[in-house]
Amino acid sequence: MARRSTQARITDDRFFPVRVRIAVPQGSFGEQLNLMYGWLNMHAGRGNFAIHSAPNDLNAITGVERSRVDAALFYFMDVSVARAFVERFACGLALVQTVERGADDR
């Protein structure tokens, strides 16, 4: 997965109201990541999503202990696209979070 700068992550945190955190399978996403990018380009459209690596705090939320699994954070503009993405690709655990943006964030 391509790494983006901290600055881009901060900008994306402010810009995208919907986030999906997915545990990265052991051994990485592999070829599935290319399928994810293709699906995102077709269904969300370029500029309407972003992807960042994320700390895996899914263990604390679920109470399930997993051995050092990374997570990926997918940002979306639209919750319906995020849900469709989860239905298509999240074979395991995924968390969808919608963030309220203030008037000055728009």
Side-chain angles (χ1 to χ4, degrees), residues 38-49:
W39 189 96
L40 289 166
N41 283 328
M42 286 185 73
H43 296 277
R46 293 180 187 241
N48 291 316
F49 69 91

Side-chain angles (χ1 to χ4, degrees), residues 22-83:
I22 298 178
V24 176
Q26 246 178 344
S28 82
F29 284 116
E31 184 61 31
Q32 185 177 15
L33 188 59
N34 291 331
L35 298 173
M36 289 174 163
Y37 272 111
W39 189 96
L40 289 166
N41 283 328
M42 286 185 73
H43 296 277
R46 293 180 187 241
N48 291 316
F49 69 91
I51 305 171
H52 294 284
S53 61
N56 185 9
D57 54 2
L58 296 173
N59 297 343
I61 294 169
T62 63
V64 176
E65 187 59 40
R66 298 173 92 181
S67 59
R68 301 195 74 196
V69 178
D70 291 328
L73 193 56
F74 294 80
Y75 293 79
F76 296 90
M77 292 300 294
D78 186 333
V79 72
S80 63
V81 174
R83 284 192 178 126

